[in-house]
Amino acid sequence: MNPNPQPPQWASRLLVAVCPPDLTEELLGDLYEQFMEEIAKNGEAKARRKYIIEVLKFVRPYFLTRKAETPAKTYVLNPYPSPFFLHPGMLRNYLTIAFRNLWKSKGYTTVNVTGLSVAFCICVFLFLVSYLQLTFDSFHEDRDRIFKTYFVSNNPDGTERQGAMSLPVGPALEADYPEIEGFARVMSGRKSTVEVNGKYFDKLVVMTDPDFFDIFSFKLLQGNKVNVLNNLGNIVISRNMAEAIFGSEDPMGKSLAVGSGSNRKDYVVTGVSEDVPSNSSIQYDALIRIENGDNYASDKNNWAANSHALFIKLPANVEHAAFEMRLKAFSKKYFAGTIKELREKGAKPDQFGDIFAVRLQNLGKVHFDREISGGKGAPIALIYTLLAIAFFILLIACINFINLSIARSFTRAREVGVRKSLGALKKQLFVQIWGETTMICLVGFLGGALLTWASLSAFNATFGSNLTFEYMLKPGFVMLILGVFAVVTFIAGGYPAWQMAKFNAVEVLKGKVSMKKPGILRNSLIVTQFSISTLLVCCTIIAVQQVDHMQSVPLGFQKEQVISIPVGNQLNGRQILARMRNTLASDPAIISITGTGVNLGKGKDRVSSRSIAGFKYKGKDVATDWLLIDFDYLKTLNIKVKAGRDFDSSFAADSTNRVIISESMAKMIGEKNPVGMLLGDDADTSGTKSQIIGVIPDFHLYSLADDRMPLTMHISGSESIYYILVRVAPHNLEGSLEKLKSVWTQVAPQTEFMGTFLDENLAGWYENERRLSQICSLASGIAIFLSCLGLFAIALMVIEQRTKEIGIRKVMGASIPGIIFVLSRDFVKLVGVALLIAIPLAWFGMQQWLANYPERIQLSIWVFAGVAAAAVLITFITVGFHTVKAALVNPVRSLRSE
Amino acid sequence: MERSYLGEFEELVLLATAVLEDGAYGLTIVSELKQRTNRSISLSGVHVALYRLEEKGLLSSELGGATASRGGRRKRMFRVTASGQQTLDNIRQVRNELYDAIPGISLSPR
């Protein structure tokens, strides 16, 4: 049996609803008593039934009508009826009071508005950056049905995923799986030369298939998407390109030439597309058919030459996973050789039973997958980091807001008390106080928007982003911001308002509330705030140290005074190199010239490539970077030969089958004295093995974030040279760059000169890290600033409340330093707790982050000690400023009142 | 003094209140009436009658103490006012006079 039976709740509620309020108590009492008696007599079930029946009987005209007539007659404390709490008159009153209050405490208002504006501004930036990243490719209508294909090969030493496809894959897929709605091979490559009427332009001409506009939602301004790329001689250009080349003329039907030398071909404009949004993984200035590619004829049936991305569109009713399973047959049919080879090497099938498979990746994921997109994507962790930082900063600003409102509520308690005793309802007070904070929020947000607008270009310049105000007006983003605003006002405004509305009028008027201790809440908020900001500061310092470290590690070559010039695909690099050597042979400012297949760092062409060779050497598996160079490479980069000799143009064989290897390569092949040995695959008996002629110390051909690989360098008469490196004399570096530029216009008049100094290029390696650390610096600076702002204002209020105590202490003989110590102690304690929380977190987190880098700094205890000392010092300064002021006041003055 | 007219049920409630003296409130009145009349009496009916009587000035009320048996709620104690007493007396008198005037069946000789 129920030990504590209660009458049915809903019935009681019904009674309350029906009954005049002044009678409810006694009626409920009677009913309850009867209910209890009934339980004793007839049991609970019957009692409940009776209770309900009794209540229902109360629903009678007498009570219903009496309710409407009598409340004012019987129990009225206030002879004037309360207006609706949103009555216009009351609203005007609230506004007046709010303005008066805000004006009276200008310091508080300024702190709040500044804090919110700054926080909001930085949040908009961070949100916007993340928003653009997170909505990458989302403008395609059928994005759920568009997939990028990739290969998975489960090699003996791990799984490898690759997004580059070979030319026959797309057509074969369509032939074997007729339900596929279309496929588009997308071959991006480098910028190409476009010529119209003797004028040259560098444009990103992307090669693709006719289905391109069927699959993707890129908008065509002119031309019909069904047949726009039907002919091999068609070209679709972007609006931007059309304007740049044809101005206001109609580009349709005009012809232009793409490429140079033997690759040059004429095209007819059959369509103009809207410019590609910056949040698209596929970027182009112009589109032509993939059949126009250099190697199309030779590679169209070559299943091993991987060169482009392939996108397919599945019908709406075809399940992604199911289709992937059906692709097993495809892999078995066309990649039997690869599978066999892998199996012989000892590859194990994965959980789907595949050794080598073709899989599908949804378009929405393409941007975030660095492995499949060949290192182009944005790491999603970075985006979440930015979002987290934005959230933290907003949190800090909210904490300021809450803390200040609560601190101030004690000084405003009397107003609340008086209002209450005059008959203000709780909800009226709540709305009034909340309204005030919402007003501050609104001003803060408007200020933030203004600040954002003002600093947009500076932000773009610093962080290399291209945000525009336009993005901020997109509905999704506006919703996000409104949501943030609502949450901020709700939390930061609502909580203190609720606290104040709860004040007991009698206590307040007696003056008791203002004596309350600053609660646990305030302290924990301050601790949270400082934990977050110290965490950000620690992480920033370590990240900056790491980036500096990576830039200062000796790379093994001399990066100063070297200019790197990308040649591009269209020109014959070997010819250009020869011409430049001729032209500059006698120039004293030029020390040496060489060519190579791989750029060091990232130049203006933004291209980085890598070629790796793997083979069996005396039974050992060897993998090495396979680097094409030219004579004078070592001289240009100032690399000394350790054993053997450099390439020499006087030996004919040097440019065919001789190699120079790095020390770690020598170690990998296990030769103590490798000079003179023959390098090549064990299976190769045709006598074309390369002879090792020299050994050089290891140097960093790639970013320190990548692992260093053993290196093999060779010279070839036939392979393309993509970069020309020039070492210039140390004096007048800029002049040398200018000279190279003018020489370039002679030797390669068709293309733009994109030469840059190697040190700039190398900095490009760490662009991601640098940008992240810059954003972190900005964020942590703002976090610390906001936290101090909050502390500053709270200290001000605390000291105002303790003026009298300070006076008494002085009268009793306390020294000024003593008083400062006593007052700062509480705050320093809080900051100390914050440090205890933040430092281990920072330590652990950064240890994880650093583990990503092969060349990394050791975490130094001094960073943390320094941050801790700085935090305590800042607290002392922030709090001390007011304390000193208060402590210097003549106690007679502070004690005179009362 | 102008006469108040009472319904039969109101009269019963007023009488019961008078009977219960200091212990008159909704529930006790209900049980008193139940016991005496063998009718099924509803709490709501009694309360309506009580409030009507109060409005007519025949009863006065005040809130009594809260007890645990009522879930901590107070009860409204009713008391017959002077005019209530007067009304009861009047009614009784009228009834008696009328009763006395019934002809024929009196045992007393004419």
Side-chain angles (χ1 to χ4, degrees):
Chain A
M1 200 183 123
N2 190 348
N4 184 19
Q6 287 296 321
Q9 279 286 308
W10 65 267
S12 311
R13 253 181 268 133
L14 176 68
L15 185 81
V16 173
V18 167
C19 214
D22 52 314
L23 300 179
T24 12
E25 184 178 349
E26 55 196 86
L27 296 183
L28 281 176
D30 278 3
L31 281 167
Y32 186 84
E33 217 175 322
Q34 194 182 36
F35 175 74
M36 290 316 223
E37 279 174 15
E38 196 67 23
I39 285 181
K41 250 191 277 170
N42 296 325
E44 197 180 332
K46 212 163 180 191
R48 290 174 76 87
R49 219 173 310 137
K50 183 156 182 193
Y51 187 88
I52 292 167
I53 292 169
E54 287 285 8
V55 167
L56 289 177
K57 280 187 186 163
F58 272 104
V59 187
R60 53 168 72 196
Y62 177 82
F63 289 110
L64 294 175
T65 51
R66 182 178 156 122
K67 189 186 179 188
E69 284 165 13
T70 48
K73 199 172 105 195
T74 38
Y75 294 97
V76 183
L77 286 175
N78 178 359
Y80 307 102
S82 243
F84 179 53
F85 70 103
L86 286 179
H87 189 274
M90 284 313 286
L91 286 184
R92 204 176 318 127
N93 175 265
Y94 294 155
L95 270 181
T96 321
I97 300 277
F99 274 119
R100 259 184 227 160
N101 267 323
L102 297 182
W103 193 247
K104 206 171 89 187
S105 45
K106 285 192 261 315
Y108 160 83
T109 315
T110 319
V111 166
N112 267 336
V113 169
T114 320
L116 278 176
S117 297
V118 172
F120 179 65
C121 171
I122 189 82
C123 281
V124 166
F125 281 136
L126 297 183
F127 276 158
L128 208 51
V129 170
S130 330
Y131 178 78
L132 281 186
Q133 293 288 334
L134 290 174
T135 55
F136 234 78
D137 293 326
S138 64
F139 59 91
H140 296 294
E141 275 161 32
D142 299 320
R143 55 188 171 275
D144 299 337
R145 296 158 50 202
I146 304 175
F147 295 91
K148 178 174 179 164
T149 58
Y150 65 94
F151 295 137
V152 171
S153 54
N154 291 293
N155 302 343
D157 50 352
T159 304
E160 192 189 329
R161 303 186 309 149
Q162 195 200 1
M165 295 282 124
S166 54
L167 287 169
V169 176
L173 269 176
E174 196 176 44
D176 289 9
Y177 301 89
E179 66 268 40
I180 291 179
E181 286 189 7
F183 73 93
R185 295 169 286 182
V186 177
M187 198 186 286
S188 296
R190 302 158 205 250
K191 286 202 166 180
S192 315
T193 310
V194 174
E195 193 245 287
V196 179
N197 303 332
K199 279 191 285 182
Y200 293 89
F201 302 88
D202 256 345
K203 292 292 170 191
L204 186 62
V205 179
V206 168
M207 292 181 278
T208 186
D209 285 302
D211 287 344
F212 187 83
F213 286 99
D214 278 334
I215 294 177
F216 300 109
S217 306
F218 294 109
K219 229 184 265 162
L220 270 179
L221 299 173
Q222 279 177 289
N224 182 349
K225 73 172 190 174
V226 180
N227 59 16
V228 74
L229 282 172
N230 266 9
N231 286 322
L232 293 188
N234 292 359
I235 188 167
V236 175
I237 59 178
S238 70
R239 182 160 75 167
N240 217 331
M241 179 166 162
E243 277 162 13
I245 294 180
F246 299 106
S248 54
E249 285 175 62
D250 182 10
M252 292 291 279
K254 296 254 165 42
S255 80
L256 39 78
V258 176
S260 55
S262 59
N263 300 324
R264 191 183 146 104
K265 207 183 149 186
D266 286 329
Y267 295 89
V268 176
V269 179
T270 49
V272 178
S273 87
E274 184 59 85
D275 287 334
V276 179
S278 53
N279 59 350
S280 164
S281 328
I282 299 171
Q283 293 288 338
Y284 65 85
D285 291 321
L287 293 168
I288 57 174
R289 286 282 292 270
I290 198 163
E291 287 85 347
N292 295 306
D294 297 350
N295 306 319
Y296 189 83
S298 57
D299 281 345
K300 70 177 177 193
N301 291 317
N302 182 353
W303 288 80
N306 298 334
S307 56
H308 62 273
L310 172 63
F311 294 90
I312 62 170
K313 186 153 150 188
L314 294 180
N317 57 0
V318 171
E319 190 73 39
H320 161 210
F323 192 79
E324 250 179 9
M325 293 316 283
R326 293 182 52 206
L327 285 178
K328 269 175 185 284
F330 186 84
S331 315
K332 287 212 181 86
K333 182 169 165 192
Y334 295 103
F335 295 97
T338 316
I339 295 174
K340 189 170 158 242
E341 201 177 302
L342 281 168
R343 183 169 288 135
E344 278 166 6
K345 277 192 193 163
K348 297 268 179 304
D350 60 13
Q351 75 263 36
F352 301 105
D354 292 324
I355 286 181
F356 182 91
V358 179
R359 299 251 162 88
L360 304 179
Q361 180 178 47
N362 191 277
L363 184 63
K365 292 194 180 131
V366 168
H367 179 61
F368 303 108
D369 196 317
R370 281 167 83 91
E371 191 184 352
I372 291 179
S373 62
K376 268 191 240 155
I380 197 140
L382 181 69
I383 298 162
Y384 287 139
T385 310
L386 290 185
L387 277 180
I389 291 177
F391 170 75
F392 280 149
I393 288 186
L394 211 53
L395 187 68
I396 290 179
C398 284
I399 288 179
N400 274 351
F401 209 117
I402 295 177
N403 268 344
L404 286 179
S405 308
I406 289 183
R408 219 170 61 102
S409 66
F410 296 118
T411 53
R412 281 188 68 182
R414 199 150 286 165
E415 178 195 333
V416 174
V418 170
R419 272 180 179 274
K420 267 200 162 173
S421 66
L422 286 178
L425 297 177
K426 218 176 180 179
K427 64 182 168 198
Q428 289 173 322
L429 284 169
F430 180 75
V431 167
Q432 184 209 341
I433 302 166
W434 192 7
E436 256 172 59
T437 44
T438 306
M439 250 170 64
I440 298 182
C441 275
L442 197 64
V443 176
F445 266 52
L446 289 180
L450 213 64
L451 207 60
T452 312
W453 180 73
S455 52
L456 189 65
S457 57
F459 184 87
N460 279 342
T462 317
F463 301 113
S465 49
N466 45 355
L467 307 177
T468 61
F469 222 65
E470 204 177 296
Y471 288 121
M472 297 182 201
L473 301 175
K474 292 205 168 174
F477 194 70
V478 170
M479 290 295 284
L480 182 72
I481 292 299
L482 285 183
V484 168
F485 180 77
V487 170
V488 169
T489 43
F490 192 76
I491 296 172
Y495 178 73
W498 180 61
Q499 282 294 317
M500 278 172 80
K502 262 187 5 190
F503 281 156
N504 182 335
V506 180
E507 300 277 294
V508 165
L509 291 178
K510 275 188 191 162
K512 275 191 183 152
V513 172
S514 55
M515 297 302 287
K516 249 188 196 165
K517 276 266 167 200
I520 286 181
L521 177 78
R522 196 196 76 183
N523 286 349
S524 43
L525 287 181
I526 293 181
V527 168
T528 315
Q529 210 173 27
F530 269 85
S531 301
I532 294 170
S533 19
T534 14
L535 191 68
L536 284 177
V537 170
C538 287
C539 295
T540 308
I541 293 177
I542 293 166
V544 168
Q545 277 182 342
Q546 171 67 15
V547 175
D548 283 351
H549 171 74
M550 287 196 292
Q551 279 172 336
S552 64
V553 164
L555 295 167
F557 59 88
Q558 201 189 343
K559 61 185 177 186
E560 291 82 13
Q561 306 161 38
V562 181
I563 294 169
S564 149
I565 310 164
V567 180
N569 266 352
Q570 269 63 43
L571 304 174
N572 182 333
R574 205 160 287 284
Q575 275 175 19
I576 306 265
L577 177 62
R579 280 187 221 157
M580 284 189 70
R581 276 197 172 125
N582 283 337
T583 323
L584 295 165
S586 57
D587 196 310
I590 308 298
I591 296 172
S592 67
I593 303 180
T594 187
T596 175
V598 172
N599 203 2
L600 291 133
K602 271 188 183 157
K604 275 189 188 160
D605 61 338
R606 319 302 297 164
V607 174
S608 59
S609 64
R610 184 170 194 171
S611 89
I612 292 170
F615 50 87
K616 265 196 166 35
Y617 177 84
K618 295 188 181 169
K620 262 182 277 188
D621 278 318
V622 175
T624 169
D625 270 315
W626 194 254
L627 176 67
L628 171 77
I629 61 167
D630 205 70
F631 296 106
D632 289 343
Y633 188 82
L634 298 184
K635 189 180 167 197
T636 307
L637 291 180
N638 230 342
I639 299 170
K640 297 275 172 292
V641 181
K642 269 202 120 172
R645 61 173 179 88
D646 189 2
F647 288 116
D648 190 332
S649 48
S650 52
F651 296 101
D654 276 8
S655 54
T656 51
N657 58 353
R658 291 199 170 149
V659 294
I660 294 178
I661 60 171
S662 69
E663 276 182 310
S664 53
M665 180 65 186
K667 213 161 150 198
M668 182 180 254
I669 59 174
E671 301 285 357
K672 274 247 158 63
N673 296 306
V675 176
M677 300 273 178
L678 290 178
L679 192 67
D681 195 88
D682 288 351
D684 178 17
T685 48
S686 59
T688 52
K689 286 191 181 178
S690 306
Q691 190 186 20
I692 300 168
I693 58 164
V695 180
I696 53 157
D698 284 343
F699 73 93
H700 287 279
L701 184 59
Y702 298 102
S703 145
L704 291 185
D706 295 319
D707 283 319
R708 191 169 3 182
M709 278 257 261
L711 181 67
T712 308
M713 303 193 286
H714 66 111
I715 291 185
S716 155
S718 56
E719 284 175 49
S720 298
I721 281 178
Y722 291 118
Y723 297 91
I724 292 174
L725 302 176
V726 183
R727 169 166 293 274
V728 298
H731 52 270
N732 195 10
L733 292 174
E734 286 304 318
S736 305
L737 190 65
E738 284 306 310
K739 173 174 284 167
L740 283 178
K741 193 170 182 177
S742 66
V743 168
W744 188 262
T745 50
Q746 292 167 34
V747 298
Q750 307 94 317
T751 57
E752 193 190 341
F753 175 75
M754 294 198 286
T756 42
F757 280 98
L758 219 49
D759 10 12
E760 295 165 25
N761 290 4
L762 297 182
W765 275 340
Y766 310 110
E767 222 168 52
N768 263 339
E769 280 83 0
R770 211 191 59 235
R771 233 171 250 176
L772 178 64
S773 67
Q774 272 178 339
I775 290 186
C776 281
S777 310
L778 181 71
S780 58
I782 284 173
I784 276 283
F785 166 73
L786 290 179
S787 307
C788 288
L789 205 63
L791 199 61
F792 187 80
I794 284 195
L796 179 71
M797 275 175 210
V798 166
I799 285 159
E800 259 173 23
Q801 282 169 10
R802 292 173 76 174
T803 325
K804 236 156 241 159
E805 179 194 330
I806 296 171
I808 293 170
R809 281 180 190 275
K810 273 186 96 172
V811 171
M812 300 304 244
S815 65
I816 289 178
I819 290 175
I820 294 174
F821 175 73
V822 164
L823 290 178
S824 312
R825 194 175 48 189
D826 294 345
F827 289 107
V828 172
K829 251 190 249 163
L830 295 180
V831 172
V833 174
L835 288 171
L836 283 183
I837 296 172
I839 286 179
L841 276 179
W843 181 286
F844 181 75
M846 292 319 276
Q847 203 90 50
Q848 301 286 312
W849 183 70
L850 285 176
N852 293 328
Y853 296 92
E855 280 284 348
R856 56 176 172 260
I857 52 165
Q858 284 302 308
L859 285 182
S860 154
I861 189 91
W862 293 110
V863 171
F864 300 102
V867 170
V872 172
L873 190 69
I874 288 178
T875 318
F876 260 117
I877 294 172
T878 316
V879 179
F881 177 74
H882 297 305
T883 323
V884 171
K885 242 172 47 180
L888 288 176
V889 170
N890 187 346
V892 174
R893 195 180 295 169
S894 57
L895 291 177
R896 193 158 48 190
S897 68
E898 286 180 32
Chain B
M1 199 196 99
E2 202 184 319
R3 290 272 311 267
S4 308
Y5 294 95
L6 289 185
E8 189 258 355
F9 190 67
E10 282 180 344
E11 189 186 336
L12 282 177
V13 171
L14 187 59
L15 280 166
T17 312
V19 167
L20 286 166
E21 271 201 310
D22 288 341
Y25 69 98
L27 203 57
T28 50
I29 296 168
V30 169
S31 45
E32 184 71 28
L33 287 176
K34 258 187 193 162
Q35 201 190 324
R36 297 211 184 235
T37 63
N38 270 336
R39 303 206 315 215
S40 90
I41 306 286
S42 87
L43 200 55
S44 55
V46 168
H47 273 285
V48 172
L50 283 169
Y51 298 137
R52 287 232 164 92
L53 289 168
E54 194 179 7
E55 280 163 31
K56 289 175 183 169
L58 306 180
L59 289 176
S60 70
S61 74
E62 60 182 4
L63 283 172
T67 57
S69 66
R70 299 172 59 80
R73 300 182 187 88
R74 290 173 296 176
K75 44 179 112 162
R76 185 174 294 279
M77 308 301 298
F78 290 89
R79 188 172 270 285
V80 180
T81 60
S83 85
Q85 192 63 52
Q86 183 81 51
T87 310
L88 281 178
D89 288 347
N90 282 342
I91 292 172
R92 182 171 182 185
Q93 200 189 333
V94 171
R95 297 252 158 102
N96 282 346
E97 279 168 12
L98 279 171
Y99 192 86
D100 289 345
I102 300 173
I105 53 165
S106 170
L107 290 175
S108 61
R110 235 173 208 269

